[in-house]
Each structure stands twice: as C-alpha cells, then as structure tokens.
C-alpha cells in the first residue's frame, strides 16, 4: 500500500485583511499539514498549487517554507508540487528554486514513481487562452499496472458544483480524454472547498485550502490522506486546527449608534477570532473605525469591517452567486475568445506576470518589441531552414 498526503492552496504570505496575524495563520496551517505527513509516515506529499499567495513572495516567506519542508526531508518523505495561478511566474518557478534546496520536486507530464507502483503526474495551472493549445499528453509508466494519479490546479466541473459556464473553467471529462493514458485518479487544487465526484470511472476531488481565504469558506479546513492499494484509492480528511471566524451582520436604523453596535457585539465571543462585521441599513454617525475598535476591544485577533450602509440593493434577477473574478481572470476570459498566436499569448503573460519588467510604459514597449523581433527572426529562420531542406531533397 502507498500512502500520500494531498495538500493544496496553502497561500503562504497571504496577509488576509491586511493582517500579519492572518499571514502567520497561513504558515501555521501549512506546518500542521506537514506535521500530519510526518506523523502518518506517508510515502509522499502532493501539493496541487498555490503554495504561495503571490508571484513575488518575500524572502522570509520562502525561507520559512523551506524550513517547514526540511521536516519532511529529515523524515525521508518527498514533497511533490505543481504551480498554481497565484504563484505562477514566466519562466523559472518558486518550486524550481526550492527544488535546488533538495526539499521539493516539481511534477511534470512524465511519471514520478512513488511507493513502487504509483505513477504521479503534474500539470501546472493553465490559463484560459492557452487551454486549447496546451499539450496534456502524459508519458505512460513503464509498469502498465501502475496506479496513475494526475495533479492539476484548475477549476473543473464536476466536481465543482454548478454549471461549467458559471464557476468552472473546463470539463473534467475533457481532461481525461486529453491525457492519452488510462487515468486512475485526479487530484485537484484551486477550489478551496473539499469536493469529490467520479467522472468516467475516475475519482476526482479537491482537498480544499488549508486556511480560510474568504468568508464564504465555512467548512473546516483539511488535508486528504490517500491510501492506494490494489488499483483503488481511499481518501480520509484530516482536519486542521485553524482560527475561527465570527461573521456578524448589523442592521442600522436612523439614529442608531454605539448602543446598537454594543448590543449586537455583546452576543458574540470574539476572543482570538477573526471578526468579520458587515454593516447594513441607514448611515449613522457610527464609523467603520468605531466598529473595528469595538471588535478588537472584545478580544478579536483580527477585525474586518464591511460598510454597506446606504447602498441601494440591486435585484440580480435570481442570477448566480459567487466571488467576484479578479482582473487576471477577466482578462483571461476575454483573451480566450480571440484567435491569438502563441507569441501573442506569451507576450501577454509576460506583461502581466513578469515582475522584472521596467516600470515605465516606454521601457516595457522597447522590451516587448525585442521579443516580437526575436519571434519574427526565429519564424523566418525556420522558414529558411524548411526551404533549404526542400532544395536538398
């Protein structure tokens, strides 16, 4: 039997609500996950993307990550990862740097054998514009009886609830069709809630994030312990001890102020919790700063105040509900509808993701112009080479 721990969406460095306490909470949750792996003496840990919360984590965040992974290294437990949409860079990835320390390995479309008879694969997060041109073909394992497990960081339906057109980016069935080999299981990241399903006889699941990254993520945070034997996989959730949230909604009428606020807050135990307070109704003399101070005075570790007072309620006509897309996702959706070349897609990815680009528009334009010229030179060079071969023939 081969035992693996599936960890995902750790978002190290995430200063949720601008709080260093929450950034430390993200790191502590990752530490807990690694401790579970060591205590269970697993054969390996798989991480399905968004190890870090951004493309540019700080040096202390990277250092702490490596120090945590050294606990696995000391226990002779390998750590296998893929790149998520949050921490994806243009060329070399943070996982490549961490690999140089000997504490992690980056999965690919070639099999990584674990426990003797489990072949693990990985495909990094794929942007919508690149989806249809991306090569998903996996190299078959030498042992045809090996259990094949693919790790991806993608929003796929199912198991994501709802229609593919709304929340998910693509269909799971399409992935299974495009890998080119028999797939025994698909472990996913990017969706922060634990979900599972079976698609074309393939078990598919999300482990969920290790910490709450939004108020809507109400389920207990967890990791998945996988036991693979005789061609099948059994999964068991291992819950993590994470900081509690206290969602509070306060409706104000004209003239309400501190008395109304205190009456509501006194109903909650905020000690050491994340207090998320939403204000609704009429605008009053009470400020968001007053609410923040009142929550912190009651022992909250972190307070977030969302002031919706005085806002007109819109009737969305029973449309879908969900988190607002971030700008990168909106741009990806727009570009996906255009017939752009690989060169154009790579330039778009560089402009949006290369932190090393100059800050001024003129300097960026100069660098991108060089990229275009290089692509043209390579294309014409290829054409000349093809012509020469035809003459030689």
């Amino acid at each position: 039997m081969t035992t693996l721990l599936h960890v995902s969406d750790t978002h190290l460095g995430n200063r949720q609500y601008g709080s260093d306490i929450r950034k430390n909470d993200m790191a502590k949750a990752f530490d807990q996950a690694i401790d579970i792996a060591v205590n269970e003496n697993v054969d390996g840990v798989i991480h399905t993307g968004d190890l870090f919360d951004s493309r540019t984590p700080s040096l202390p965040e990277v250092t702490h990550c490596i120090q945590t992974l050294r606990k696995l290294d000391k226990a002779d437990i390998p750590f296998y990862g893929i790149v998520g949409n949050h921490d994806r860079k243009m060329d070399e990835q943070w996982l490549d740097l961490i690999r140089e320390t000997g504490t992690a390995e980056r999965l690919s479309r070639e099999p990584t054998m674990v426990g003797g008879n489990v072949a693990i694969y990985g495909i990094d997060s794929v942007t919508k514009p690149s989806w249809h041109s991306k090569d998903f073909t996996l190299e078959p394992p030498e042992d045809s009886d090996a259990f094949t497990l693919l790790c991806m960081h993608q929003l796929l339906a199912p198991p994501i609830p709802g229609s593919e057109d709304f929340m998910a980016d693509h269909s799971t069935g399409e992935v299974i069709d495009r890998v080119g080999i028999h797939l025994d299981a698909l472990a996913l990241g990017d969706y922060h809630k634990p979900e599972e399903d079976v698609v074309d006889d393939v078990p598919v699941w999300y482990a969920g994030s290790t910490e709450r990254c939004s108020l809507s993520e109400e389920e207990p945070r967890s990791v998945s312990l996988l036991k693979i034997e005789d061609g099948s996989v059994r999964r068991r959730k291992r819950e993590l001890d994470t900081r509690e949230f206290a969602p509070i909604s306060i409706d104000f009428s004209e003239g309400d102020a501190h008395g109304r606020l205190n009456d509501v807050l006194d109903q909650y135990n905020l000690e050491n919790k994340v207090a998320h307070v939403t204000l609704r109704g009429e605008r009053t003399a009470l400020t968001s700063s007053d609410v923040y101070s009142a929550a912190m005075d009651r022992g909250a570790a972190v307070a977030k105040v969302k002031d919706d007072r005085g806002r007109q309620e819109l009737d969305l006509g029973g449309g879908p509900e969900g988190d607002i897309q971030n700008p990168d996702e909106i741009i990806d959706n727009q570009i996906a509808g255009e017939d752009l070349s690989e060169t154009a897609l790579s330039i778009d990815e560089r402009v949006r993701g290369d932190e090393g680009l100059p800050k001024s528009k003129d300097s960026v334009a100069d660098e991108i112009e060089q990229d275009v010229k290089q692509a043209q030179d390579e294309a014409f060079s290829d054409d000349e080479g093809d012509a020469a071969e035809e003459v030689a023939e």
Side-chain angles (χ1 to χ4, degrees), residues 51-52 62 65-66 69-70 73 79-81 83 91-108 112 124:
L51 177 62
F52 297 103
V62 176
C65 175
I66 294 172
L69 292 178
R70 288 204 186 281
D73 188 46
F79 179 90
Y80 306 105
V83 179
D91 296 312
E92 293 294 310
Q93 305 294 331
W94 289 107
L95 268 176
D96 298 322
L97 172 65
I98 297 173
R99 179 181 58 196
E100 294 299 318
T101 70
T103 57
E105 295 183 37
R106 185 175 170 190
L107 295 171
S108 69
T112 296
D124 296 337

PDB file of all heavy atoms in Angstrom, residues 51-52 62 65-66 69-70 73 79-81 83 91-108 112 124:
ATOM      1  N   LEU A  51       1.130  27.271  -3.655  1.00  0.00           N
ATOM      2  CA  LEU A  51       1.946  27.146  -2.451  1.00  0.00           C
ATOM      3  C   LEU A  51       2.081  28.527  -1.808  1.00  0.00           C
ATOM      4  O   LEU A  51       1.924  28.684  -0.598  1.00  0.00           O
ATOM      5  CB  LEU A  51       3.322  26.582  -2.812  1.00  0.00           C
ATOM      6  CG  LEU A  51       4.346  26.431  -1.690  1.00  0.00           C
ATOM      7  CD1 LEU A  51       3.849  25.445  -0.636  1.00  0.00           C
ATOM      8  CD2 LEU A  51       5.689  25.967  -2.258  1.00  0.00           C
ATOM      9  N   PHE A  52       2.372  29.526  -2.655  1.00  0.00           N
ATOM     10  CA  PHE A  52       2.442  30.919  -2.201  1.00  0.00           C
ATOM     11  C   PHE A  52       1.228  31.680  -2.706  1.00  0.00           C
ATOM     12  O   PHE A  52       0.588  31.281  -3.675  1.00  0.00           O
ATOM     13  CB  PHE A  52       3.730  31.575  -2.704  1.00  0.00           C
ATOM     14  CG  PHE A  52       4.986  30.952  -2.161  1.00  0.00           C
ATOM     15  CD1 PHE A  52       5.741  30.092  -2.950  1.00  0.00           C
ATOM     16  CD2 PHE A  52       5.407  31.210  -0.865  1.00  0.00           C
ATOM     17  CE1 PHE A  52       6.892  29.509  -2.462  1.00  0.00           C
ATOM     18  CE2 PHE A  52       6.551  30.622  -0.363  1.00  0.00           C
ATOM     19  CZ  PHE A  52       7.304  29.774  -1.163  1.00  0.00           C
ATOM     20  N   VAL A  62       9.590  32.530   1.769  1.00  0.00           N
ATOM     21  CA  VAL A  62      10.229  31.415   1.074  1.00  0.00           C
ATOM     22  C   VAL A  62      11.107  30.625   2.040  1.00  0.00           C
ATOM     23  O   VAL A  62      11.108  29.388   2.043  1.00  0.00           O
ATOM     24  CB  VAL A  62      11.051  31.919  -0.123  1.00  0.00           C
ATOM     25  CG1 VAL A  62      11.786  30.758  -0.792  1.00  0.00           C
ATOM     26  CG2 VAL A  62      10.154  32.628  -1.135  1.00  0.00           C
ATOM     27  N   CYS A  65       9.032  28.498   4.327  1.00  0.00           N
ATOM     28  CA  CYS A  65       8.520  27.343   3.582  1.00  0.00           C
ATOM     29  C   CYS A  65       9.573  26.243   3.503  1.00  0.00           C
ATOM     30  O   CYS A  65       9.287  25.067   3.758  1.00  0.00           O
ATOM     31  CB  CYS A  65       8.093  27.785   2.189  1.00  0.00           C
ATOM     32  SG  CYS A  65       7.573  26.434   1.111  1.00  0.00           S
ATOM     33  N   ILE A  66      10.794  26.617   3.172  1.00  0.00           N
ATOM     34  CA  ILE A  66      11.878  25.635   3.062  1.00  0.00           C
ATOM     35  C   ILE A  66      12.154  24.986   4.413  1.00  0.00           C
ATOM     36  O   ILE A  66      12.365  23.768   4.514  1.00  0.00           O
ATOM     37  CB  ILE A  66      13.142  26.303   2.497  1.00  0.00           C
ATOM     38  CG1 ILE A  66      12.894  26.744   1.043  1.00  0.00           C
ATOM     39  CG2 ILE A  66      14.341  25.359   2.566  1.00  0.00           C
ATOM     40  CD1 ILE A  66      14.010  27.579   0.459  1.00  0.00           C
ATOM     41  N   LEU A  69       9.549  22.427   5.021  1.00  0.00           N
ATOM     42  CA  LEU A  69       9.751  21.247   4.175  1.00  0.00           C
ATOM     43  C   LEU A  69      10.932  20.405   4.639  1.00  0.00           C
ATOM     44  O   LEU A  69      10.985  19.203   4.348  1.00  0.00           O
ATOM     45  CB  LEU A  69       9.950  21.675   2.723  1.00  0.00           C
ATOM     46  CG  LEU A  69       8.724  22.290   2.037  1.00  0.00           C
ATOM     47  CD1 LEU A  69       9.064  22.724   0.618  1.00  0.00           C
ATOM     48  CD2 LEU A  69       7.560  21.299   2.019  1.00  0.00           C
ATOM     49  N   ARG A  70      11.870  21.015   5.358  1.00  0.00           N
ATOM     50  CA  ARG A  70      13.018  20.235   5.866  1.00  0.00           C
ATOM     51  C   ARG A  70      12.562  19.169   6.865  1.00  0.00           C
ATOM     52  O   ARG A  70      13.242  18.152   7.047  1.00  0.00           O
ATOM     53  CB  ARG A  70      14.054  21.167   6.495  1.00  0.00           C
ATOM     54  CG  ARG A  70      14.807  21.997   5.475  1.00  0.00           C
ATOM     55  CD  ARG A  70      16.169  22.450   5.974  1.00  0.00           C
ATOM     56  NE  ARG A  70      16.801  23.348   5.022  1.00  0.00           N
ATOM     57  CZ  ARG A  70      17.423  22.973   3.923  1.00  0.00           C
ATOM     58  NH1 ARG A  70      17.477  21.675   3.626  1.00  0.00           N
ATOM     59  NH2 ARG A  70      17.975  23.851   3.110  1.00  0.00           N
ATOM     60  N   ASP A  73      12.039  16.320   4.737  1.00  0.00           N
ATOM     61  CA  ASP A  73      13.319  15.813   4.259  1.00  0.00           C
ATOM     62  C   ASP A  73      13.998  14.958   5.335  1.00  0.00           C
ATOM     63  O   ASP A  73      14.556  13.890   5.035  1.00  0.00           O
ATOM     64  CB  ASP A  73      14.212  16.987   3.855  1.00  0.00           C
ATOM     65  CG  ASP A  73      15.489  16.534   3.166  1.00  0.00           C
ATOM     66  OD1 ASP A  73      15.410  15.678   2.271  1.00  0.00           O
ATOM     67  OD2 ASP A  73      16.570  17.034   3.535  1.00  0.00           O
ATOM     68  N   PHE A  79       8.388  15.709  -1.213  1.00  0.00           N
ATOM     69  CA  PHE A  79       7.325  16.695  -1.424  1.00  0.00           C
ATOM     70  C   PHE A  79       7.238  16.978  -2.910  1.00  0.00           C
ATOM     71  O   PHE A  79       8.205  17.416  -3.531  1.00  0.00           O
ATOM     72  CB  PHE A  79       7.644  17.981  -0.651  1.00  0.00           C
ATOM     73  CG  PHE A  79       6.627  19.088  -0.815  1.00  0.00           C
ATOM     74  CD1 PHE A  79       5.547  19.191   0.041  1.00  0.00           C
ATOM     75  CD2 PHE A  79       6.772  20.045  -1.820  1.00  0.00           C
ATOM     76  CE1 PHE A  79       4.616  20.218  -0.095  1.00  0.00           C
ATOM     77  CE2 PHE A  79       5.853  21.073  -1.967  1.00  0.00           C
ATOM     78  CZ  PHE A  79       4.767  21.164  -1.099  1.00  0.00           C
ATOM     79  N   TYR A  80       6.066  16.717  -3.505  1.00  0.00           N
ATOM     80  CA  TYR A  80       5.863  16.903  -4.942  1.00  0.00           C
ATOM     81  C   TYR A  80       4.840  18.017  -5.162  1.00  0.00           C
ATOM     82  O   TYR A  80       3.772  18.013  -4.545  1.00  0.00           O
ATOM     83  CB  TYR A  80       5.343  15.615  -5.576  1.00  0.00           C
ATOM     84  CG  TYR A  80       6.189  14.390  -5.311  1.00  0.00           C
ATOM     85  CD1 TYR A  80       5.774  13.422  -4.399  1.00  0.00           C
ATOM     86  CD2 TYR A  80       7.393  14.208  -5.976  1.00  0.00           C
ATOM     87  CE1 TYR A  80       6.542  12.291  -4.164  1.00  0.00           C
ATOM     88  CE2 TYR A  80       8.172  13.069  -5.744  1.00  0.00           C
ATOM     89  CZ  TYR A  80       7.741  12.122  -4.834  1.00  0.00           C
ATOM     90  OH  TYR A  80       8.499  11.013  -4.592  1.00  0.00           O
ATOM     91  N   GLY A  81       5.157  18.940  -6.052  1.00  0.00           N
ATOM     92  CA  GLY A  81       4.248  20.051  -6.253  1.00  0.00           C
ATOM     93  C   GLY A  81       4.069  20.462  -7.696  1.00  0.00           C
ATOM     94  O   GLY A  81       4.840  20.071  -8.586  1.00  0.00           O
ATOM     95  N   VAL A  83       2.536  24.184 -10.006  1.00  0.00           N
ATOM     96  CA  VAL A  83       2.424  25.632  -9.888  1.00  0.00           C
ATOM     97  C   VAL A  83       0.964  26.054 -10.054  1.00  0.00           C
ATOM     98  O   VAL A  83       0.274  25.586 -10.971  1.00  0.00           O
ATOM     99  CB  VAL A  83       3.289  26.337 -10.950  1.00  0.00           C
ATOM    100  CG1 VAL A  83       3.153  27.855 -10.850  1.00  0.00           C
ATOM    101  CG2 VAL A  83       4.751  25.929 -10.772  1.00  0.00           C
ATOM    102  N   ASP A  91       9.008  32.102 -16.265  1.00  0.00           N
ATOM    103  CA  ASP A  91       9.915  31.010 -16.637  1.00  0.00           C
ATOM    104  C   ASP A  91      10.201  30.122 -15.430  1.00  0.00           C
ATOM    105  O   ASP A  91       9.443  29.219 -15.124  1.00  0.00           O
ATOM    106  CB  ASP A  91      11.207  31.586 -17.227  1.00  0.00           C
ATOM    107  CG  ASP A  91      10.957  32.339 -18.516  1.00  0.00           C
ATOM    108  OD1 ASP A  91      10.267  31.786 -19.381  1.00  0.00           O
ATOM    109  OD2 ASP A  91      11.453  33.465 -18.651  1.00  0.00           O
ATOM    110  N   GLU A  92      11.294  30.400 -14.733  1.00  0.00           N
ATOM    111  CA  GLU A  92      11.621  29.624 -13.540  1.00  0.00           C
ATOM    112  C   GLU A  92      10.578  29.882 -12.457  1.00  0.00           C
ATOM    113  O   GLU A  92      10.182  31.022 -12.220  1.00  0.00           O
ATOM    114  CB  GLU A  92      13.018  30.001 -13.026  1.00  0.00           C
ATOM    115  CG  GLU A  92      14.154  29.588 -13.954  1.00  0.00           C
ATOM    116  CD  GLU A  92      14.283  28.081 -14.077  1.00  0.00           C
ATOM    117  OE1 GLU A  92      14.312  27.409 -13.031  1.00  0.00           O
ATOM    118  OE2 GLU A  92      14.362  27.577 -15.213  1.00  0.00           O
ATOM    119  N   GLN A  93      10.149  28.819 -11.791  1.00  0.00           N
ATOM    120  CA  GLN A  93       9.123  28.928 -10.763  1.00  0.00           C
ATOM    121  C   GLN A  93       9.744  28.809  -9.375  1.00  0.00           C
ATOM    122  O   GLN A  93      10.866  28.333  -9.222  1.00  0.00           O
ATOM    123  CB  GLN A  93       8.067  27.832 -10.963  1.00  0.00           C
ATOM    124  CG  GLN A  93       7.439  27.819 -12.350  1.00  0.00           C
ATOM    125  CD  GLN A  93       6.612  29.056 -12.635  1.00  0.00           C
ATOM    126  OE1 GLN A  93       6.057  29.671 -11.732  1.00  0.00           O
ATOM    127  NE2 GLN A  93       6.516  29.427 -13.911  1.00  0.00           N
ATOM    128  N   TRP A  94       8.989  29.238  -8.363  1.00  0.00           N
ATOM    129  CA  TRP A  94       9.494  29.125  -6.994  1.00  0.00           C
ATOM    130  C   TRP A  94       9.758  27.671  -6.625  1.00  0.00           C
ATOM    131  O   TRP A  94      10.678  27.373  -5.859  1.00  0.00           O
ATOM    132  CB  TRP A  94       8.513  29.773  -6.021  1.00  0.00           C
ATOM    133  CG  TRP A  94       8.504  31.262  -6.156  1.00  0.00           C
ATOM    134  CD1 TRP A  94       7.540  32.045  -6.708  1.00  0.00           C
ATOM    135  CD2 TRP A  94       9.562  32.147  -5.764  1.00  0.00           C
ATOM    136  NE1 TRP A  94       7.923  33.365  -6.687  1.00  0.00           N
ATOM    137  CE2 TRP A  94       9.158  33.459  -6.107  1.00  0.00           C
ATOM    138  CE3 TRP A  94      10.797  31.975  -5.155  1.00  0.00           C
ATOM    139  CZ2 TRP A  94       9.955  34.576  -5.859  1.00  0.00           C
ATOM    140  CZ3 TRP A  94      11.594  33.087  -4.906  1.00  0.00           C
ATOM    141  CH2 TRP A  94      11.164  34.369  -5.252  1.00  0.00           C
ATOM    142  N   LEU A  95       8.957  26.761  -7.172  1.00  0.00           N
ATOM    143  CA  LEU A  95       9.212  25.344  -6.910  1.00  0.00           C
ATOM    144  C   LEU A  95      10.568  24.914  -7.447  1.00  0.00           C
ATOM    145  O   LEU A  95      11.232  24.039  -6.876  1.00  0.00           O
ATOM    146  CB  LEU A  95       8.115  24.478  -7.539  1.00  0.00           C
ATOM    147  CG  LEU A  95       6.914  24.119  -6.666  1.00  0.00           C
ATOM    148  CD1 LEU A  95       5.893  23.346  -7.478  1.00  0.00           C
ATOM    149  CD2 LEU A  95       7.355  23.319  -5.443  1.00  0.00           C
ATOM    150  N   ASP A  96      11.007  25.541  -8.556  1.00  0.00           N
ATOM    151  CA  ASP A  96      12.317  25.215  -9.107  1.00  0.00           C
ATOM    152  C   ASP A  96      13.423  25.652  -8.148  1.00  0.00           C
ATOM    153  O   ASP A  96      14.426  24.947  -7.971  1.00  0.00           O
ATOM    154  CB  ASP A  96      12.507  25.892 -10.467  1.00  0.00           C
ATOM    155  CG  ASP A  96      11.489  25.403 -11.498  1.00  0.00           C
ATOM    156  OD1 ASP A  96      11.180  24.196 -11.473  1.00  0.00           O
ATOM    157  OD2 ASP A  96      11.020  26.220 -12.297  1.00  0.00           O
ATOM    158  N   LEU A  97      13.239  26.830  -7.545  1.00  0.00           N
ATOM    159  CA  LEU A  97      14.221  27.306  -6.569  1.00  0.00           C
ATOM    160  C   LEU A  97      14.254  26.396  -5.353  1.00  0.00           C
ATOM    161  O   LEU A  97      15.330  25.994  -4.886  1.00  0.00           O
ATOM    162  CB  LEU A  97      13.875  28.740  -6.146  1.00  0.00           C
ATOM    163  CG  LEU A  97      14.699  29.310  -4.985  1.00  0.00           C
ATOM    164  CD1 LEU A  97      16.163  29.440  -5.380  1.00  0.00           C
ATOM    165  CD2 LEU A  97      14.144  30.657  -4.542  1.00  0.00           C
ATOM    166  N   ILE A  98      13.070  26.035  -4.838  1.00  0.00           N
ATOM    167  CA  ILE A  98      13.006  25.184  -3.650  1.00  0.00           C
ATOM    168  C   ILE A  98      13.575  23.797  -3.949  1.00  0.00           C
ATOM    169  O   ILE A  98      14.200  23.171  -3.089  1.00  0.00           O
ATOM    170  CB  ILE A  98      11.551  25.102  -3.144  1.00  0.00           C
ATOM    171  CG1 ILE A  98      11.077  26.497  -2.711  1.00  0.00           C
ATOM    172  CG2 ILE A  98      11.426  24.121  -1.986  1.00  0.00           C
ATOM    173  CD1 ILE A  98       9.609  26.559  -2.351  1.00  0.00           C
ATOM    174  N   ARG A  99      13.379  23.347  -5.183  1.00  0.00           N
ATOM    175  CA  ARG A  99      13.941  22.043  -5.586  1.00  0.00           C
ATOM    176  C   ARG A  99      15.457  22.033  -5.426  1.00  0.00           C
ATOM    177  O   ARG A  99      16.059  21.005  -5.073  1.00  0.00           O
ATOM    178  CB  ARG A  99      13.556  21.748  -7.024  1.00  0.00           C
ATOM    179  CG  ARG A  99      14.095  20.430  -7.573  1.00  0.00           C
ATOM    180  CD  ARG A  99      13.683  20.249  -9.018  1.00  0.00           C
ATOM    181  NE  ARG A  99      14.155  21.361  -9.843  1.00  0.00           N
ATOM    182  CZ  ARG A  99      13.685  21.620 -11.061  1.00  0.00           C
ATOM    183  NH1 ARG A  99      12.727  20.882 -11.582  1.00  0.00           N
ATOM    184  NH2 ARG A  99      14.174  22.633 -11.751  1.00  0.00           N
ATOM    185  N   GLU A 100      16.090  23.188  -5.673  1.00  0.00           N
ATOM    186  CA  GLU A 100      17.548  23.271  -5.545  1.00  0.00           C
ATOM    187  C   GLU A 100      18.012  23.051  -4.116  1.00  0.00           C
ATOM    188  O   GLU A 100      19.173  22.730  -3.877  1.00  0.00           O
ATOM    189  CB  GLU A 100      18.040  24.633  -6.060  1.00  0.00           C
ATOM    190  CG  GLU A 100      17.846  24.848  -7.554  1.00  0.00           C
ATOM    191  CD  GLU A 100      18.598  23.830  -8.377  1.00  0.00           C
ATOM    192  OE1 GLU A 100      19.757  23.530  -8.028  1.00  0.00           O
ATOM    193  OE2 GLU A 100      18.026  23.300  -9.358  1.00  0.00           O
ATOM    194  N   THR A 101      17.124  23.245  -3.130  1.00  0.00           N
ATOM    195  CA  THR A 101      17.487  23.002  -1.726  1.00  0.00           C
ATOM    196  C   THR A 101      17.334  21.530  -1.353  1.00  0.00           C
ATOM    197  O   THR A 101      17.679  21.138  -0.236  1.00  0.00           O
ATOM    198  CB  THR A 101      16.606  23.848  -0.786  1.00  0.00           C
ATOM    199  OG1 THR A 101      15.262  23.349  -0.810  1.00  0.00           O
ATOM    200  CG2 THR A 101      16.629  25.310  -1.178  1.00  0.00           C
ATOM    201  N   GLY A 102      16.779  20.740  -2.277  1.00  0.00           N
ATOM    202  CA  GLY A 102      16.602  19.313  -2.012  1.00  0.00           C
ATOM    203  C   GLY A 102      15.368  18.987  -1.203  1.00  0.00           C
ATOM    204  O   GLY A 102      15.207  17.851  -0.743  1.00  0.00           O
ATOM    205  N   THR A 103      14.451  19.971  -1.042  1.00  0.00           N
ATOM    206  CA  THR A 103      13.272  19.743  -0.205  1.00  0.00           C
ATOM    207  C   THR A 103      11.979  19.593  -1.004  1.00  0.00           C
ATOM    208  O   THR A 103      10.920  19.405  -0.409  1.00  0.00           O
ATOM    209  CB  THR A 103      13.094  20.907   0.798  1.00  0.00           C
ATOM    210  OG1 THR A 103      12.987  22.136   0.076  1.00  0.00           O
ATOM    211  CG2 THR A 103      14.275  20.973   1.759  1.00  0.00           C
ATOM    212  N   ALA A 104      12.041  19.685  -2.314  1.00  0.00           N
ATOM    213  CA  ALA A 104      10.815  19.568  -3.116  1.00  0.00           C
ATOM    214  C   ALA A 104      11.157  19.095  -4.520  1.00  0.00           C
ATOM    215  O   ALA A 104      12.289  19.262  -4.991  1.00  0.00           O
ATOM    216  CB  ALA A 104      10.076  20.907  -3.181  1.00  0.00           C
ATOM    217  N   GLU A 105      10.171  18.508  -5.176  1.00  0.00           N
ATOM    218  CA  GLU A 105      10.286  18.115  -6.575  1.00  0.00           C
ATOM    219  C   GLU A 105       9.076  18.654  -7.323  1.00  0.00           C
ATOM    220  O   GLU A 105       7.967  18.701  -6.776  1.00  0.00           O
ATOM    221  CB  GLU A 105      10.348  16.593  -6.717  1.00  0.00           C
ATOM    222  CG  GLU A 105      11.584  15.958  -6.093  1.00  0.00           C
ATOM    223  CD  GLU A 105      11.646  14.469  -6.330  1.00  0.00           C
ATOM    224  OE1 GLU A 105      11.244  14.036  -7.427  1.00  0.00           O
ATOM    225  OE2 GLU A 105      12.058  13.740  -5.414  1.00  0.00           O
ATOM    226  N   ARG A 106       9.289  19.063  -8.552  1.00  0.00           N
ATOM    227  CA  ARG A 106       8.200  19.590  -9.364  1.00  0.00           C
ATOM    228  C   ARG A 106       7.691  18.510 -10.306  1.00  0.00           C
ATOM    229  O   ARG A 106       8.456  17.903 -11.063  1.00  0.00           O
ATOM    230  CB  ARG A 106       8.688  20.804 -10.161  1.00  0.00           C
ATOM    231  CG  ARG A 106       7.593  21.501 -10.958  1.00  0.00           C
ATOM    232  CD  ARG A 106       8.143  22.751 -11.612  1.00  0.00           C
ATOM    233  NE  ARG A 106       7.205  23.320 -12.578  1.00  0.00           N
ATOM    234  CZ  ARG A 106       7.503  24.296 -13.414  1.00  0.00           C
ATOM    235  NH1 ARG A 106       8.720  24.823 -13.388  1.00  0.00           N
ATOM    236  NH2 ARG A 106       6.601  24.763 -14.253  1.00  0.00           N
ATOM    237  N   LEU A 107       6.405  18.241 -10.235  1.00  0.00           N
ATOM    238  CA  LEU A 107       5.804  17.209 -11.066  1.00  0.00           C
ATOM    239  C   LEU A 107       5.682  17.670 -12.512  1.00  0.00           C
ATOM    240  O   LEU A 107       5.619  18.873 -12.800  1.00  0.00           O
ATOM    241  CB  LEU A 107       4.425  16.834 -10.521  1.00  0.00           C
ATOM    242  CG  LEU A 107       4.398  16.174  -9.139  1.00  0.00           C
ATOM    243  CD1 LEU A 107       2.969  16.064  -8.635  1.00  0.00           C
ATOM    244  CD2 LEU A 107       5.056  14.800  -9.182  1.00  0.00           C
ATOM    245  N   SER A 108       5.618  16.716 -13.418  1.00  0.00           N
ATOM    246  CA  SER A 108       5.524  17.026 -14.842  1.00  0.00           C
ATOM    247  C   SER A 108       4.651  15.985 -15.530  1.00  0.00           C
ATOM    248  O   SER A 108       4.012  15.151 -14.869  1.00  0.00           O
ATOM    249  CB  SER A 108       6.920  17.047 -15.471  1.00  0.00           C
ATOM    250  OG  SER A 108       7.463  15.735 -15.513  1.00  0.00           O
ATOM    251  N   THR A 112       6.360  10.225 -12.071  1.00  0.00           N
ATOM    252  CA  THR A 112       7.217  10.156 -10.891  1.00  0.00           C
ATOM    253  C   THR A 112       6.716   8.991 -10.065  1.00  0.00           C
ATOM    254  O   THR A 112       5.571   8.998  -9.592  1.00  0.00           O
ATOM    255  CB  THR A 112       7.146  11.458 -10.066  1.00  0.00           C
ATOM    256  OG1 THR A 112       7.655  12.549 -10.848  1.00  0.00           O
ATOM    257  CG2 THR A 112       7.957  11.328  -8.787  1.00  0.00           C
ATOM    258  N   ASP A 124       0.844  22.127 -14.429  1.00  0.00           N
ATOM    259  CA  ASP A 124       0.688  23.431 -13.783  1.00  0.00           C
ATOM    260  C   ASP A 124      -0.595  24.108 -14.239  1.00  0.00           C
ATOM    261  O   ASP A 124      -1.177  23.764 -15.275  1.00  0.00           O
ATOM    262  CB  ASP A 124       1.873  24.334 -14.111  1.00  0.00           C
ATOM    263  CG  ASP A 124       3.191  23.804 -13.565  1.00  0.00           C
ATOM    264  OD1 ASP A 124       3.154  23.013 -12.601  1.00  0.00           O
ATOM    265  OD2 ASP A 124       4.249  24.191 -14.102  1.00  0.00           O
TER     266      ASP A 124
END
